[in-house]
Amino acid sequence: MYFHLMLLTGLLGMSILLLGCNGAKELDQRANVVAIGLDTAEQEGMSRVSYQFAVPQVEGGKDDASKGAVVITNTAASLAEGLNLLSSEIALQPTLAHIKVIVIGEELARKGLDKVLEPFMRYREYRGTMFVVVTRGTAKKFLEKNKPVFVTSMAKYYEEMLVNGQDTGYFLGTTLHQYYIRLKSKSAQPYMSLVGINPNSGEGEISTRKVPGGKIDGYSAGDIPRSGGDAIEFAGTAIFDGDKMVGTLSTTETRMLAMLLGNYHNGFIVVEDPFDSKSIVNINLHLGSKPKINVALVEDRPVIHVSILLEGEISSIPSGINYEQGGGYLNSLETQINKVYSQEMMSVIKRTQELNADVAGFGYYLRPAFQSNKEYEDYKWNGKYSQSEVSIEVNTQIRRNGLMLRTVPTE
Amino acid sequence: MKTYYVGKLGTAEGIALVFGLVVSRLFLSGMADGIRGNGQLYWLSMILFTMIPLVVLFMMVYVTNSVSGDIVAVCQHLVGKVGAWLILVAYIGMFFGNSALVLRQYAEYTLSTALPRAEFQLVIVWYAVAAGIICYLGIEALCRTSYILLPFMLGGLILILVMVNPFYVVYNLTPWQGNGIMTAVQSGIHDAGYNLGVLSLVFLSSAFQNAKTIKSAAIYALGGSLVLRIVYMLVYTMVFGVAVGGEKAMPFFELARLVYLNQYIQRIEALFIVVWVIFGLLAIAGSMYIGLYLIVVLLKLPALRSIVPLGVMIVANLAMLPPDIGYTIQVDQLLIQVTQMGIYLFPGILFVMALVKNRREKSCTSI
């Protein structure tokens, strides 16, 4: 009896000691970093690290949204030293466990990210689900200029933007995990969302001209012709050869990449009306199935065949031509879309071949052709991608006409 | 009747005991080493290092059926007193070594993940004392607790494997031969020591109802652990690939950290830490119990409980010996190699001796 009493007392005592509260920090003792910006520094061997902290606010309150975050920038020898310096600059304990996004300055991205991103894979407060983006210009400026309009929480802004905003395929949310896996896979090259600061002047700059039959030009982040709203925009893709950024894709090119990756969810496309070249037709398109990609070796040369099924719904026919009646009209429209998208897709693949950056991950499809890892590694896919022969087949099926059964012509 | 001869344990308790002992390394770095060494064909290696101990267990059941008495009596009858001592002391070393190294690795990973500011000795002592309490409560308490917890823990693990599906890249499972068939076969033969825990059923045979119970428990436990290991390995390879998969110190924890379904379902690894701490505790306690049990039967002691504190101290001190986690993992790999003796050599000798004995007896009877 005495022993059991002692045991019970001991266990209860132990459970109190093990509550974990002795090392606990209250929420109001922590400063949560929601974004980290990385740039090159003027001094040799140093980096410029910007921390964007969330400042707690009431959602739906009268607080100014721009006060929802504070940016502090340190020039330090490493990320860890940057964190040490932060302790001398803010009263609260900086916490990295809630970082949503790592913003990398373009200059640093072009120099190479191998050594820069390594600590993110090792230190426990960082996690693979953090998003990574490349900004045109510096990360510091990007973080400072970011004043979300519709949400007060900066963390929610990044999450909503990068998870839901990518549905149209104009940018692709990439996590640190996805970047790192591709970097080491020997089957694909990494890519990241391209972000930038828009001057809000109402004027833009076209990055990719529309193809014949198409009506949409491609833009890069910072170049979309617009005015109003947050200065920050996510548009296009930064593509890498290994850990070095070698080029960018515009919004329309990124949409093609999204289709090749099977990540294209839903978006409007605009093509020239096949029966009235002065008019356009709008179609809401999505992938009908995952892309069918076949990569084979013919005399040691990779031959890639891509087959894409798109399904759509007509959302606008300004010409008034009765496409709803089906038959030849609908076939012509589908053929028009197939032609436009085949050209756009081929142009993107050629561009990535020129940059030797297999961002579509065709190398993965080649892996089953080899029996062992050694055989595959000896083939050195990343060096062979640029020599690949590519064919593309786009098959569009217009399934619905929207809310109209037919178009009655006006006089 | 000695206090540690329970004789009431059934198949369910046997399954829980073996499962707890053999699955604990699933949460440690073994998967990363296996993937790095074998590539996409690690599953073949897993099948081999599960089937071999199962065959060995059946051989040992044959041995114990041939000679009456506990494991000491069986060994003494077949290989003499000195031989029995040598074999059982080696097994004691293997189980204590396993308990200490599993304890050290779980303590290190607890420090790396859940309690980074805690004192190292405090975490070691906490694990050791908790395992000691489980041992003190006895094999029935250990097995039945494990059995009750098993479905919840397995459910949690499977849920994580399913929830990381947005990161699956099926082509990471190719080239299908990985680093080569022969490499996988050799690795499967070398790593049979991962499942040494299944022999606990033979050592504790007097605590189980009969030989059929032991066989069923071994088949279900090893079969279940094999399925879990293979599913885990396939998911892990799909998510990380062979190159990155081989880099991770805590593969399962890393998988759990990747769960991101939406704004509300993410960062769930803290819940998962509780699951692997329980698995770890059961494995440490189970190995410690088998080691203590073998000491007790070898020295013919009347009770096991009185030496539990001794076991706790031995295991805790052994666990604190390696200077760092890298060295601990090296020693752990060495232990797996050493346990090959416990899988191949000793059961082989005992089986051959039992066969010879049975043939002699048969020939004597026929005369």
Side-chain angles (χ1 to χ4, degrees):
Chain A
M1 181 63 193
Y2 175 74
F3 176 78
H4 285 104
L5 197 64
M6 288 295 288
L7 184 68
L8 189 68
T9 313
L11 286 174
L12 281 174
M14 203 161 132
S15 59
I16 291 166
L17 286 174
L18 289 167
L19 285 174
C21 293
N22 48 348
K25 289 268 179 195
E26 296 299 332
L27 276 177
D28 60 0
Q29 293 176 299
R30 292 169 180 261
N32 288 311
V33 181
V34 286
I36 276 197
L38 302 170
D39 288 304
T40 50
E42 288 76 25
Q43 299 95 319
E44 185 70 26
M46 303 287 268
S47 304
R48 205 163 58 175
V49 191
S50 303
Y51 299 91
Q52 187 173 46
F53 292 92
V55 178
Q57 281 187 309
V58 180
E59 187 87 23
K62 290 179 180 175
D63 294 332
D64 180 1
S66 64
K67 290 179 184 166
V70 166
V71 179
I72 296 175
T73 303
N74 285 325
T75 302
S78 70
L79 269 170
E81 175 56 9
L83 200 60
N84 281 341
L85 292 173
L86 266 186
S87 309
S88 303
E89 295 155 5
I90 56 170
L92 306 178
Q93 186 187 349
T95 306
L96 307 173
H98 291 276
I99 294 176
K100 297 287 174 196
V101 62
I102 302 168
V103 184
I104 299 159
E106 187 174 346
E107 191 185 335
L108 182 64
R110 287 190 186 273
K111 274 189 173 175
L113 299 177
D114 221 3
K115 288 175 185 161
V116 182
L117 291 182
E118 197 274 341
F120 290 101
M121 301 309 299
R122 194 180 290 273
Y123 187 52
R124 67 172 180 279
E125 286 197 27
Y126 303 116
R127 57 182 64 228
T129 50
M130 294 183 301
F131 290 101
V132 279
V133 299
V134 171
T135 179
R136 298 176 75 189
T138 65
K140 177 180 184 287
K141 204 168 173 192
F142 173 87
L143 294 176
E144 284 170 351
K145 288 274 180 186
N146 192 7
K147 312 283 182 207
V149 178
F150 295 105
V151 286
T152 50
S153 159
M154 194 57 84
K156 190 172 178 181
Y157 164 80
Y158 287 125
E159 214 154 4
E160 290 296 321
M161 195 75 200
L162 284 155
V163 176
N164 303 326
Q166 61 172 331
D167 280 358
T168 56
Y170 275 2
F171 65 92
L172 294 163
T174 313
T175 61
L176 180 64
H177 167 80
Q178 288 165 327
Y179 166 84
Y180 193 71
I181 294 295
R182 281 175 161 251
L183 182 69
K184 302 248 168 150
S185 71
K186 298 187 174 93
S187 304
Q189 296 285 14
Y191 62 86
M192 292 182 190
S193 309
L194 187 67
V195 299
I197 303 162
N198 194 293
N200 268 336
S201 62
E203 292 170 10
E205 194 179 319
I206 295 167
S207 296
T208 319
R209 295 266 161 213
K210 54 178 97 58
V211 296
K215 285 286 181 186
I216 306 176
D217 293 313
Y219 298 96
S220 291
D223 292 338
I224 297 176
R226 68 162 170 127
S227 58
D230 187 4
I232 297 308
E233 60 196 24
F234 291 61
T237 305
I239 58 178
F240 288 75
D241 180 1
D243 70 324
K244 291 183 179 63
M245 178 181 162
V246 288
T248 60
L249 298 179
S250 67
T251 46
T252 47
E253 289 174 321
T254 301
R255 184 146 71 178
M256 294 303 109
L257 178 62
M259 285 181 189
L260 289 168
L261 292 168
N263 286 349
Y264 179 63
H265 301 291
N266 197 359
F268 293 103
I269 66 139
V270 187
V271 291
E272 191 180 288
D273 192 320
F275 296 99
D276 179 2
S277 60
K278 287 178 185 164
S279 283
I280 56 167
V281 181
N282 285 359
I283 300 112
N284 191 2
L285 272 187
H286 64 268
L287 279 176
S289 66
K290 285 275 176 192
K292 290 180 178 61
I293 296 173
N294 182 36
V295 184
L297 290 180
V298 179
E299 293 170 357
D300 211 39
R301 189 177 173 210
V303 177
I304 301 169
H305 179 73
V306 179
S307 178
I308 304 274
L309 172 65
L310 295 169
E311 291 184 347
E313 174 185 358
I314 299 171
S315 64
S316 168
I317 317 169
S319 66
I321 295 168
N322 211 339
Y323 282 100
E324 298 93 332
Q325 67 187 269
Y329 282 106
L330 216 48
N331 286 344
S332 300
L333 183 58
E334 287 167 352
T335 308
Q336 177 81 324
I337 298 167
N338 294 344
K339 194 179 84 183
V340 169
Y341 272 27
S342 298
Q343 287 177 76
E344 284 193 10
M345 205 167 281
M346 185 57 89
S347 145
V348 170
I349 292 173
K350 282 202 171 138
R351 193 160 142 64
T352 58
Q353 281 185 308
E354 283 162 18
L355 295 167
N356 193 34
D358 173 23
V359 281
F362 291 121
Y364 280 116
Y365 298 90
L366 186 63
R367 294 174 71 107
F370 295 88
Q371 291 204 325
S372 70
N373 287 328
K374 189 176 181 311
E375 275 181 34
Y376 179 73
E377 283 165 19
D378 288 346
Y379 182 72
K380 297 190 189 311
W381 163 253
N382 285 334
K384 301 272 171 53
Y385 172 58
S386 54
Q387 302 157 24
S388 309
E389 190 182 314
V390 184
S391 59
I392 294 168
E393 182 191 339
V394 177
N395 179 21
T396 307
Q397 297 283 319
I398 306 286
R399 302 284 188 196
R400 283 162 280 275
N401 309 317
L403 300 179
M404 287 174 70
L405 194 59
R406 60 185 65 84
T407 311
V408 177
T410 49
E411 285 185 24
Chain B
M1 184 70 179
K2 297 189 173 73
T3 56
Y4 43 86
Y5 286 121
V6 185
K8 292 176 192 165
L9 300 181
T11 308
E13 288 87 351
I15 293 170
L17 175 67
V18 176
F19 207 85
L21 284 172
V22 302
V23 164
S24 61
R25 276 193 166 74
L26 209 67
F27 306 102
L28 304 176
S29 54
M31 181 60 74
D33 289 331
I35 294 275
R36 188 170 154 265
N38 299 282
Q40 293 83 346
L41 206 59
Y42 189 37
W43 58 266
L44 177 64
S45 179
M46 287 173 165
I47 290 175
L48 284 172
F49 73 63
T50 305
M51 296 314 291
I52 292 169
L54 193 60
V55 172
V56 169
L57 178 105
F58 275 70
M59 284 161 58
M60 287 297 281
V61 170
Y62 172 82
V63 170
T64 50
N65 282 345
S66 309
V67 183
S68 59
D70 61 17
I71 188 70
V72 179
V74 170
C75 290
Q76 280 183 352
H77 186 83
L78 294 173
V79 291
K81 204 169 179 179
V82 177
W85 266 81
L86 279 175
I87 288 174
L88 293 175
V89 166
Y91 275 120
I92 291 167
M94 287 175 213
F95 278 100
F96 269 119
N98 186 55
S99 184
L101 288 166
V102 170
L103 163 59
R104 174 61 183 266
Q105 290 177 81
Y106 271 94
E108 289 285 353
Y109 294 146
T110 303
L111 285 167
S112 301
T113 57
L115 303 169
R117 289 164 201 263
E119 273 292 317
F120 167 72
Q121 285 92 341
L122 181 73
V123 177
I124 290 271
V125 168
W126 181 86
Y127 268 108
V129 169
I133 291 168
I134 297 172
C135 278
Y136 185 86
L137 295 173
I139 191 69
E140 272 191 89
L142 196 158
C143 293
R144 288 185 179 145
T145 310
S146 305
Y147 192 68
I148 291 166
L149 292 172
L150 209 56
F152 300 101
M153 294 196 290
L154 286 179
L157 303 188
I158 290 164
L159 200 64
I160 283 167
L161 297 181
V162 172
M163 284 198 291
V164 288
N165 78 81
F167 293 105
Y168 288 179
V169 178
V170 180
Y171 285 95
N172 275 335
L173 296 174
T174 57
W176 76 272
Q177 285 187 18
N179 295 349
I181 294 175
M182 281 315 293
T183 310
V185 170
Q186 282 172 3
S187 162
I189 294 166
H190 283 151
D191 293 346
Y194 275 124
N195 288 321
L196 180 78
V198 74
L199 292 185
S200 61
L201 294 173
V202 176
F203 299 144
L204 297 172
S205 56
S206 50
F208 286 91
Q209 288 160 0
N210 51 43
K212 196 181 162 196
T213 314
I214 291 174
K215 286 180 185 174
S216 311
I219 291 170
Y220 284 119
L222 287 186
S225 71
L226 176 64
V227 171
L228 183 66
R229 276 187 176 131
I230 290 180
V231 170
Y232 166 37
M233 177 256 154
L234 294 177
V235 169
Y236 183 67
T237 310
M238 282 196 287
V239 172
F240 288 104
V242 170
V244 178
E247 288 183 350
K248 302 291 179 191
M250 286 170 280
F252 218 106
F253 181 67
E254 292 276 6
L255 268 183
R257 270 161 67 86
L258 274 183
V259 172
Y260 184 103
L261 294 186
N262 55 47
Q263 201 181 342
Y264 306 103
I265 305 175
Q266 55 171 308
R267 296 162 193 273
I268 58 159
E269 73 271 11
L271 299 171
F272 166 74
I273 288 172
V274 178
V275 174
W276 63 255
V277 165
I278 294 171
F279 258 118
L281 273 178
L282 292 173
I284 297 162
S287 281
M288 196 198 296
Y289 188 91
I290 309 298
L292 290 172
Y293 176 84
L294 290 175
I295 292 175
V296 165
V297 291
L298 199 56
L299 299 176
K300 297 187 171 47
L301 300 178
L304 187 145
R305 281 183 168 179
S306 51
I307 61 164
V308 168
L310 180 72
V312 169
M313 281 190 275
I314 291 172
V315 167
N317 280 293
L318 280 176
M320 283 192 269
L321 281 180
D324 55 64
I325 182 67
Y327 188 74
T328 308
I329 292 169
Q330 276 179 28
V331 177
D332 194 43
Q333 290 296 318
L334 190 69
L335 178 77
I336 298 298
Q337 301 307 313
V338 170
T339 50
Q340 285 182 46
M341 280 198 307
I343 289 287
Y344 297 111
L345 184 65
F346 301 144
I349 293 171
L350 292 173
F351 183 69
V352 170
M353 295 304 289
L355 267 182
V356 170
K357 178 185 155 288
N358 281 352
R359 283 201 178 166
R360 274 190 193 154
E361 278 176 4
K362 271 185 189 169
S363 57
C364 289
T365 314
S366 62
I367 290 167

